[in-house]
Amino acid sequence: MAAVEPVGIGIVGAGFLARTRARCYGGAGEPARIVAVAARTEESARAYAAEQGLERWTTDYRELLELPEVRVVDLCVPNHLHREMAEAAAAAGKHVICTKPLTAYTGQDLPGGAADEEVSGRDRGLMLEAVLADARAMAAAAQSAGVQLMYGENWVYAPSVRKASELIRASGGTILEMRGGECHSGSHSPYSKTWRHTGGGALLRLGSHPIGAMLHLKRLEGERRDGRPIRPASVSAEVGDLTRRPGLGRGEDSGIVSGWKDVENWASLILTFEDGARGIVWASDAVLGGMQSRLEVYLSNARLTCNLSPHDLLEAYAPDSRVFEGEYLMEKLEARAGWSTPLPDEDWTSGQLEMCRDFVRAAARDRPAESTGELGVEVVRVVYSAYRAAAEGRRIELEGP
């Protein structure tokens, strides 16, 4: 039997996510290999290449696009670079993987040199128009070039969410309500604290996950029942900065990150679907105890809870933080003393591993990935409509796709 030619992957970016992807492609059990990496600096590109055993590295992603061995380009880069790089990769005939969110508002419709306050103070309706234009342009570029735009939403592939999806199908029940969120003690990156660098705060960075999972599950339900997705119809929301409290950051002993500039570190929204079902989403950078990622699904005939993190596959106790010193337990865990829930395989439980496997199979077998650019466009539409709802203090009806 002839050997299967591995799918060549070009990684753009050399940070935390790019390293996660490398682990997952290596462990996906599918013929795939990272051909080259492109990063902003020579130092980071060289370091990543040496770490992953790559012969090729560059500081110009366009050089990566010229390599015939590269069939898929995985964009592990800041949000403001997504559209430019996705369009260039598609034009070069490469399948595109774009991490979440698909796009973000970073002042792309303002004159160059706009101040930070002009970006974050932009009318939320105009933000929505700008990000949808970018997201739709990315999807159109891929379609025109005959390549796939694959959306890197790992919750869609998490084993708990996937099993829940199977049980929903088997039950034949109707999804009445979903509740889900992601929380932790906050990002220490200074870029995450400024709108012009990230395009939003906790709602965008963390809330995109449960929103994506909810849209995915309702799409599958609608396609099974009526041959068409059940789409989101309206959204209401509130956002805020919970760290602007007396004492926090001024002598109070807190493990919660503070110093947020012009983005929210807390958000909550209610999503109403076409069939009247509801989704309640929360996102927070002001929660201690490590990463918390959870989705609950309430059916007409069943109830499901997906615990992505933490879960109880392993529980550990240490009377002192030095007992497990140097060992990875779970993302964003502030302390190692007392009880904890070390995650045996976070790449698997988070869905990152299965997501990479699906993307490789999609490219190799010329079939659509489970998480597509269409989902990414829908998530962006919901997130920025929620920002508008919060700013205007009213429910926002969602425009059509």
Side-chain angles (χ1 to χ4, degrees), residues 241-256:
D241 183 350
L242 299 186
T243 65
R244 296 184 184 275
R245 306 275 72 78
L248 191 63
R250 298 198 300 273
E252 180 181 335
D253 184 16
S254 174
I256 294 173

Side-chain angles (χ1 to χ4, degrees), residues 143-359:
Q143 183 177 22
S144 177
V147 298
Q148 291 195 57
L149 174 60
M150 296 176 268
Y151 178 55
E153 179 43 72
N154 53 283
W155 276 39
V156 168
Y157 297 94
S160 57
V161 175
R162 279 200 150 183
K163 185 61 178 180
S165 178
E166 293 173 4
L167 293 174
I168 292 168
R169 184 186 66 247
S171 75
T174 299
I175 298 175
L176 305 177
E177 180 186 351
M178 294 174 283
R179 303 175 189 174
E182 184 162 285
C183 308
H184 54 61
S185 58
S187 171
H188 290 276
S189 169
Y191 297 107
S192 69
K193 300 177 181 182
T194 306
W195 197 293
R196 78 172 311 124
H197 288 119
T198 56
L203 174 57
L204 182 71
R205 287 186 297 102
L206 306 178
S208 291
H209 288 304
I211 292 170
M214 291 178 186
L215 297 181
H216 174 69
L217 292 177
K218 289 301 286 186
R219 176 182 66 81
L220 293 180
E221 179 189 0
E223 289 176 346
R224 283 194 302 269
R225 183 167 300 157
D226 303 313
R228 58 177 293 275
I230 299 171
R231 299 189 180 278
S234 67
V235 63
S236 57
E238 287 196 16
V239 300
D241 183 350
L242 299 186
T243 65
R244 296 184 184 275
R245 306 275 72 78
L248 191 63
R250 298 198 300 273
E252 180 181 335
D253 184 16
S254 174
I256 294 173
V257 173
S258 58
W260 303 89
K261 304 299 182 183
D262 54 9
V263 300
E264 80 285 352
N265 55 40
W266 176 91
S268 182
L269 67 85
I270 299 176
L271 187 60
T272 301
F273 288 86
E274 292 173 324
D275 65 347
R278 299 297 199 275
I280 300 174
V281 175
W282 64 89
S284 178
D285 287 298
V287 174
L288 296 174
M291 179 72 78
Q292 298 181 33
S293 303
R294 180 184 177 93
L295 177 67
E296 299 175 68
V297 184
Y298 298 83
L299 302 166
S300 57
N301 59 355
R303 175 178 172 179
L304 306 166
T305 298
C306 306
N307 292 312
L308 284 74
S309 175
H311 51 68
D312 60 0
L313 286 177
L314 174 64
E315 296 178 316
Y317 176 82
D320 189 281
S321 61
R322 292 171 294 181
V323 173
F324 297 134
E325 190 171 359
E327 289 297 313
Y328 181 83
L329 300 182
M330 66 178 293
E331 187 175 349
K332 298 291 183 181
L333 187 64
E334 299 84 16
R336 296 168 179 270
W339 283 101
S340 63
T341 54
L343 303 184
D345 189 343
E346 201 167 39
D347 291 337
W348 175 67
T349 55
S350 69
Q352 293 281 356
L353 182 64
E354 188 59 37
M355 182 180 73
C356 288
R357 179 180 290 125
D358 180 53
F359 288 165

Side-chain angles (χ1 to χ4, degrees), residues 42-53:
E42 180 176 330
E43 180 183 10
S44 58
R46 278 184 179 274
Y48 186 91
E51 182 183 298
Q52 304 301 330

